Amino acid sequence: MDREVGPDPFAGLKEGLEEYSVYDAHYERIGRVDDVFLDERDAVSYIGVKMGLFGTNSTLVPVELVRVN
């Protein structure tokens, strides 16, 4: 049986009430969270990130690579 321990670190992303910035491993801003993709258990599986000068590019980031601060 899968159980989550502690609060959901992605709860704020799921609500979509705030805008979240995305940073790379060198703490440089690369974009903003545009969308959140949930699996059948309502757990976040991918995060859509708008990137580029005018936010014209979008990419999916697997949740395994994401750390929420």
Side-chain angles (χ1 to χ4, degrees):
M1 176 181 265
D2 293 338
R3 291 185 182 232
E4 293 183 22
V5 177
D8 183 3
F10 301 103
L13 294 176
K14 289 181 194 176
E15 294 171 6
L17 301 176
E18 278 188 54
E19 183 175 299
Y20 289 88
S21 295
V22 178
Y23 297 87
D24 66 9
H26 303 286
Y27 301 104
E28 294 181 24
R29 187 177 186 278
I30 59 171
R32 66 178 177 81
V33 174
D34 180 50
D35 207 351
V36 177
F37 297 88
L38 306 175
D39 63 13
E40 62 277 350
R41 297 174 304 156
D42 284 336
V44 177
S45 57
Y46 289 92
I47 295 175
V49 179
K50 283 284 191 183
M51 304 169 70
L53 184 60
F54 297 107
T56 56
N57 297 329
S58 187
T59 191
L60 292 177
V61 178
V63 73
E64 292 85 17
L65 301 177
V66 175
R67 183 178 75 197
V68 178
N69 291 342

